[in-house]
Amino acid sequence: MTNIDKLHVESSIKDGNKIIERRQQIVDAGVKLFKEKGFHRATTRELAKAAGFSIGTLYEYIRTKEDVLFLVCDNIFNEVTKCLSQFPADNGTITALEEAIRQYYLLIDKMPEEFTIMYQETKSLQKEAMHYILDKELEMVAIFERMLKGCVEAESLTLSDEAIYLAANQIVIQGQSWAFRKWALQKRYTIEQYIKLQTTMFLQGIMKFE
């Protein structure tokens, strides 16, 4: 079972590949529609039209509009996990950490609407799904936490466990700030300039602990 087929979103279709393909269409349509109209104003009928489905076909893949928001959020974390899986925690080098941060920021640059919608509308999810998304957020922080611990174990950094956890959160937040503030930041920086400046300031900050 893939992450996108969690029990939160049921389907009457049995073909797993077809579910993944159609739900990706629904996610793409949902992102555009929620950005344009807002989650609460958008209707499932409008969503079906944006995805190119009949309303009946749409309900074969989702149950509610909230399911679409859940899938948008889940898709983000699938992409982040896939992006960062190429950087083993035991590498222990600053170079690998810098590249992981860079790839994470580049991914956010490709998905600014998705990240913005996730943080604006997660509160609209049912309690179980909301906690699932928040747990996924913590998993994303934990990936960078493991990388930072790997650097400490390799003696590339000197940080306490408390500092490591806060630093991991800072990486995640600084990256997501690009999504929330891209409308202003891109007037002065390219994404590569933003990555370089943020990473330099971040590393200079944590190096002071040594």
Side-chain angles (χ1 to χ4, degrees), residues 123-139:
K123 61 184 181 295
S124 300
L125 291 167
Q126 295 294 320
K127 185 177 180 180
E128 183 185 12
M130 181 176 69
H131 283 303
Y132 172 80
I133 295 300
L134 294 178
D135 286 344
K136 282 289 188 177
E137 168 83 0
L138 293 177
E139 286 179 25

Side-chain angles (χ1 to χ4, degrees), residues 88-94 145-161 164 210:
D90 60 358
N91 184 287
T93 66
I94 299 299
E145 191 176 5
R146 288 192 291 271
M147 290 183 189
L148 288 164
K149 285 183 178 179
C151 289
V152 171
E153 290 171 359
E155 300 184 349
S156 300
L157 290 173
T158 302
L159 294 171
S160 66
D161 287 344
I164 287 172
E210 298 185 342

Side-chain angles (χ1 to χ4, degrees), residues 5-207:
D5 293 319
K6 295 294 182 182
L7 57 84
H8 302 284
V9 183
E10 296 176 355
S11 172
S12 62
I13 303 299
K14 303 303 181 183
D15 186 334
N17 290 330
K18 192 172 183 180
I19 290 174
I20 292 172
E21 179 184 352
R22 294 290 186 265
R23 282 185 174 170
Q24 188 60 54
Q25 290 177 251
I26 294 170
V27 165
D28 293 342
V31 167
K32 293 177 182 178
L33 187 62
F34 297 159
K35 179 184 177 183
E36 177 186 341
K37 300 196 65 173
F39 175 76
H40 292 288
R41 291 179 57 202
T43 67
T44 51
R45 192 166 296 279
E46 289 171 327
L47 180 60
K49 181 178 179 181
F53 300 153
S54 68
I55 191 70
T57 299
L58 182 73
Y59 283 129
E60 291 180 344
Y61 296 95
I62 64 167
R63 298 165 300 175
T64 67
K65 186 174 63 173
E66 286 72 20
D67 282 349
V68 182
L69 180 57
F70 172 80
L71 290 172
V72 169
C73 296
D74 203 38
N75 186 57
I76 288 171
F77 293 114
N78 290 340
E79 290 298 320
V80 170
T81 301
K82 183 168 61 176
C83 171
L84 296 178
S85 63
Q86 60 185 304
F87 300 101
D90 60 358
N91 184 287
T93 66
I94 299 299
T95 300
L97 176 63
E98 288 178 313
E99 184 58 22
I101 293 172
R102 178 174 176 272
Q103 292 301 323
Y104 170 61
Y105 285 16
L106 288 174
L107 177 63
I108 292 173
D109 183 53
K110 295 177 182 177
M111 306 175 69
E113 291 86 4
E114 288 91 332
F115 275 90
T116 302
I117 289 168
M118 178 181 69
Y119 279 99
Q120 287 177 339
E121 305 295 352
T122 295
K123 61 184 181 295
S124 300
L125 291 167
Q126 295 294 320
K127 185 177 180 180
E128 183 185 12
M130 181 176 69
H131 283 303
Y132 172 80
I133 295 300
L134 294 178
D135 286 344
K136 282 289 188 177
E137 168 83 0
L138 293 177
E139 286 179 25
M140 189 161 59
V141 172
I143 293 173
F144 285 109
E145 191 176 5
R146 288 192 291 271
M147 290 183 189
L148 288 164
K149 285 183 178 179
C151 289
V152 171
E153 290 171 359
E155 300 184 349
S156 300
L157 290 173
T158 302
L159 294 171
S160 66
D161 287 344
E162 290 79 7
I164 287 172
Y165 181 71
L166 185 57
N169 275 274
Q170 287 177 337
I171 292 172
V172 171
I173 293 168
Q174 288 170 356
Q176 293 170 358
S177 293
W178 178 257
F180 308 145
R181 299 285 299 172
K182 186 175 180 179
W183 63 272
L185 293 169
Q186 66 182 357
K187 296 176 182 178
R188 299 196 60 169
Y189 312 105
T190 65
I191 182 59
E192 291 289 358
Q193 289 171 331
Y194 179 81
I195 291 170
K196 183 176 180 180
L197 285 169
Q198 284 283 25
T199 305
T200 298
M201 289 189 291
F202 170 75
L203 289 174
Q204 286 177 346
I206 63 175
M207 291 293 185

